[in-house]
Amino acid sequence: MPDFSFMPKNSPIGIFDSGIGGLTVAKAIHDLLPNESLVYFGDTAHLPYGDKSAASVRKFSLRIARFLLENDCKMIVIACNTASARGARAVAKWVGKEVPVINVIDPIAQHVAQHFHGQKIGVIATKGTVNSRVYPRRIHAITRDVEVSTRATPLLAPMIEEGFFNNNISKAVIHSYLDNPSLMDIKGLILGCTHYPLIKREVSAFYKGSVDVMDSSLFVAGEVVRTLDEKGLRCQSDCEGKLSFYVSDFTDSFRQSAGLFFGERIDLQEARIWD
Ligand code: DGL
C-alpha cells in the first residue's frame, strides 16, 4: 500500500475528461470540498473519446495524467467513463504509486450492486464504454443478482458539448434512444457518461419518476473525500482553493459551460500538450 502522507496537502486535485462532461464531477467535488484546489483538463482536441479506439484513449489518458502530475496534483480523478473503461488500469499502474487514482465507474457500480438486488438496471454510455462491457463486469464482480442492460448513445455527448440540452432537439434524440426494448422494465438507469447529468432532467421526465436515474458525480465526490481522509491528504485551512481549467484546444463552448458551473472564478488556459 503506497504511503502518500508525505505529499503537500495543499496541492490540487487533478481531474480530466474529453471535454465539459467532467465538470459535473469537478462541481460535485468542489461542492463537498470548497477549500481544495482543482486542476481540470478537458481534452477538447480529441473529443469525443467515445468513438476512439481503446489504444488511443489509453494513450490520451496517460499523457494527461503526466500533465496533472507536472502540475503537482496530489490525486487524479478520471472524470470520464470512456477513459475509466479504457485507460484507468494503465493510469493506475503508471502513476498509482505516486498519487491515488479514482475512476467514475467503481463508486456507482458499488452502489448499484448494493441497492438493486433481483432487479434490472440500464446503462446509457458512449460506444467505447458499452463495447468495453465495463459496467456489467464491475457490477457482476460484486454480485450476479443484478441484471445489467447497456445501450450506446453516441450522439448525446457531442450534442451536449454543443450546448443542445433542454430543447426540442435533445428531447427527440433522448426519446429515440430510451424508447428501446433493451431498456424495458428497468428500475434504475446509470448515466454512464459524465456529460449526461446535463440532460438528467430530460431523462427523468421520459420515465415520469418510475426509474431511479443515477448520476455518478455525487458517488465519485464521496469517494474523493473518503480517499483524501484515508490517505491523510485533505488540504489545510490555509489552502486557497484555486480553480484552474485547461483545454487542449480552446473552444468557446467550453469556456461558456465552465462559466455555467463555476461562475466568475474561471481561469481557462490552453495547454497544447499534443504539439
Ligand atoms: N464524458 C465522457 C464519458 O464519460 C466522454 C464523452 C466522449 O468524449 O465521447 O464517457
Side-chain angles (χ1 to χ4, degrees):
M1 184 78 99
D3 177 15
F4 301 111
S5 57
F6 59 90
M7 294 181 70
K9 299 187 189 342
N10 287 356
S11 297
I13 297 171
I15 305 170
F16 76 90
D17 179 44
S18 58
I20 64 168
L23 291 172
T24 58
V25 177
K27 180 70 169 70
I29 295 172
H30 180 65
D31 286 347
L32 279 187
L33 301 165
N35 297 328
E36 294 283 350
S37 295
L38 307 180
V39 173
Y40 184 89
F41 187 90
D43 192 11
T44 44
H46 291 126
L47 180 97
Y49 275 8
D51 297 343
K52 304 289 185 300
S53 69
S56 294
V57 174
R58 204 172 302 125
K59 186 179 85 183
F60 302 152
S61 304
L62 288 170
R63 176 66 187 95
I64 297 165
R66 178 144 63 88
F67 171 82
L68 295 173
L69 288 192
E70 285 161 2
N71 280 274
D72 299 323
C73 291
K74 63 181 175 185
M75 168 185 271
I76 292 178
V77 180
I78 306 178
C80 170
N81 287 261
T82 316
S84 294
R86 302 304 206 181
R89 273 220 179 109
V91 172
K93 197 166 161 207
W94 191 54
V95 300
K97 288 204 178 75
E98 292 173 64
V99 292
V101 178
I102 292 191
N103 69 73
V104 283
I105 294 168
D106 288 326
I108 198 157
Q110 194 72 42
H111 171 81
V112 163
Q114 276 166 10
H115 294 93
F116 287 85
H117 273 264
Q119 295 180 324
K120 176 177 172 184
I121 64 128
V123 181
I124 52 170
T126 65
K127 279 189 207 161
T129 301
V130 168
N131 292 343
S132 74
R133 301 209 41 80
V134 65
Y135 274 100
R137 281 195 287 110
R138 298 279 166 87
I139 294 166
H140 290 155
I142 307 168
T143 174
R144 302 291 308 178
D145 196 26
V146 177
E147 187 186 344
V148 183
S149 181
T150 57
R151 175 143 169 78
T153 47
L155 285 181
L156 295 182
M159 177 186 89
I160 294 164
E161 193 78 24
E162 280 302 316
F164 279 83
F165 40 94
N166 295 325
N167 64 25
N168 286 341
I169 295 173
S170 59
K171 189 174 173 191
V173 175
I174 291 165
H175 277 230
S176 88
Y177 276 136
L178 298 181
D179 189 14
N180 185 272
S182 64
L183 297 176
M184 286 279 282
D185 303 324
I186 54 169
K187 294 287 178 261
L189 180 74
I190 296 179
L191 300 178
C193 170
T194 52
H195 282 70
Y196 300 175
L198 289 159
I199 53 165
K200 185 172 180 180
R201 213 153 31 103
E202 292 171 272
V203 173
S204 300
F206 174 87
Y207 289 112
K208 299 189 176 72
S210 63
V211 166
D212 181 3
V213 179
M214 292 170 280
D215 142 16
S216 60
S217 59
L218 288 179
F219 299 100
V220 176
E223 183 67 21
V224 168
V225 173
R226 262 190 304 283
T227 307
L228 290 177
D229 284 341
E230 186 188 297
K231 311 289 182 202
L233 286 176
R234 277 261 203 148
C235 69
Q236 313 282 289
S237 51
D238 59 338
C239 183
E240 54 179 326
K242 183 166 185 261
L243 305 176
S244 310
F245 298 87
Y246 294 89
V247 282
S248 50
D249 192 22
F250 188 88
T251 62
D252 211 44
S253 75
F254 186 96
R255 194 182 48 72
Q256 280 172 13
S257 308
L260 278 183
F261 284 101
F262 289 96
E264 295 291 292
R265 299 178 66 197
I266 212 175
D267 163 25
L268 177 62
Q269 296 170 55
E270 193 173 56
R272 294 202 151 261
I273 64 171
W274 307 111
D275 288 351

